[in-house]
Structure formats: C-alpha cells, structure tokens
Amino acid sequence: MSVSTIALTAYVLIWPVIVAVVLFVIARAFVKEWLDARREGRDII
C-alpha cells in the first residue's frame, strides 16, 4: 500500500468525523437554547 493511498483514505474518512463533530456542536447549542427558553417561559423563535 502506497503513501498516497493511505493519505487519500485518511482524507476521505476524516470528513464524516468532521461532520459529526459539527452536527454535535450545533445540536448541543440548540438543546441548550431550547432548555433556556423553556425555563424562562418564552418561545425559542
């Protein structure tokens, strides 16, 4: 297996990890805002 094959494989496989991390951060922020709004009795929108 050549170095370019390993590099290309790592490049392709890293994108789902990056997307998962970004989705986790967005979802966590949404839930935090939703809980804060619910606690204060106001609409989130």
Side-chain angles (χ1 to χ4, degrees):
M1 190 177 284
S2 68
V3 174
S4 64
T5 303
I6 293 171
L8 184 60
T9 301
Y11 178 76
V12 169
L13 293 178
I14 197 69
W15 286 107
V17 174
I18 292 171
V19 170
V21 169
V22 169
L23 184 61
F24 173 75
V25 169
I26 290 171
R28 192 177 84 183
F30 174 78
V31 169
K32 181 184 179 301
E33 290 292 323
W34 179 61
L35 290 175
D36 288 345
R38 187 175 178 156
R39 189 176 315 119
E40 296 171 2
R42 59 180 169 86
D43 292 332
I44 196 168
I45 297 175

